[in-house]
Amino acid sequence: MAGTIEVLVPGGQANPGPPLGPELGPTPVDVQAVVQDINDQTEAFDGTEVPVTVEYDEDGSFSIDVGVPPTAALVKDEAGFDTGSGEPQKDFVADLSIDQVKTIAEQKHPDLLAYDTKNAAKEVVGTCASMGVTIEGVDAREFKQKVDDGEFDDTLA
């Protein structure tokens, strides 16, 4: 491959403007074809920021690798809020169910260090703690302890 470009684009909504256009402009690839291909591959993420890697050759051929959105973006999308709390230990902005945490953990699992869904869920809960998101009405730190104690083993198996 002649070059690689890494960008964050809104799922299904990439366009030839920044950040993609200025990066692709000086390359031999057809910018519109790259944008269309990215939109086709990321439409399931519907507006959520998705990491995309475009590798291209001198002949204008290209390949696209779509990553998984950051955990914080998945949490915001699942819980339906725009920004986390400025004081996550005091001001809570949203509440997730254990099933929503499990869904995010399963989406994110390939990119996490966890070996199983339970530990992937604990990584997601850590992100929730820093954003001011509670789980099942409980502070994320307390919820993590409940997971460690095995209270949700059936759900996270």
Side-chain angles (χ1 to χ4, degrees):
M1 290 286 162
T4 302
I5 297 169
E6 295 179 355
V7 292
L8 271 176
V9 297
Q13 300 172 10
N15 62 57
L20 208 50
E23 293 283 337
L24 290 171
T27 68
V29 301
D30 176 1
V31 176
Q32 201 57 43
V34 172
V35 169
Q36 186 59 49
D37 202 5
I38 289 172
N39 284 336
D40 290 345
Q41 291 187 39
T42 62
E43 67 184 333
F45 294 111
D46 191 32
T48 303
E49 293 283 305
V50 182
V52 174
T53 303
V54 179
E55 293 182 349
Y56 61 90
D57 276 324
E58 295 301 329
D59 65 1
S61 63
F62 63 90
S63 66
I64 295 173
D65 181 43
V66 177
V68 179
T71 305
L74 293 173
V75 168
K76 287 194 287 189
D77 190 46
E78 191 72 31
F81 65 95
D82 293 326
T83 58
S85 172
E87 295 185 47
Q89 287 80 23
K90 297 179 192 169
D91 298 328
F92 301 109
V93 294
D95 185 59
L96 292 176
S97 69
I98 184 65
D99 291 327
Q100 289 174 305
V101 170
K102 182 180 179 183
T103 299
I104 296 167
E106 288 170 344
Q107 288 177 316
K108 209 48 197 166
H109 193 266
D111 287 353
L112 298 176
L113 299 173
Y115 294 112
D116 57 19
T117 304
K118 178 179 178 178
N119 286 304
K122 286 168 49 177
E123 289 190 43
V124 172
V125 168
T127 300
C128 290
S130 67
M131 296 175 71
V133 175
T134 58
I135 297 98
E136 299 285 339
V138 178
D139 181 275
R141 291 160 195 79
E142 293 173 36
F143 183 81
K144 182 184 168 297
Q145 187 59 50
K146 289 182 178 190
V147 171
D148 286 339
D149 293 343
E151 199 170 312
F152 297 99
D153 282 356
D154 290 343
T155 307
L156 299 174

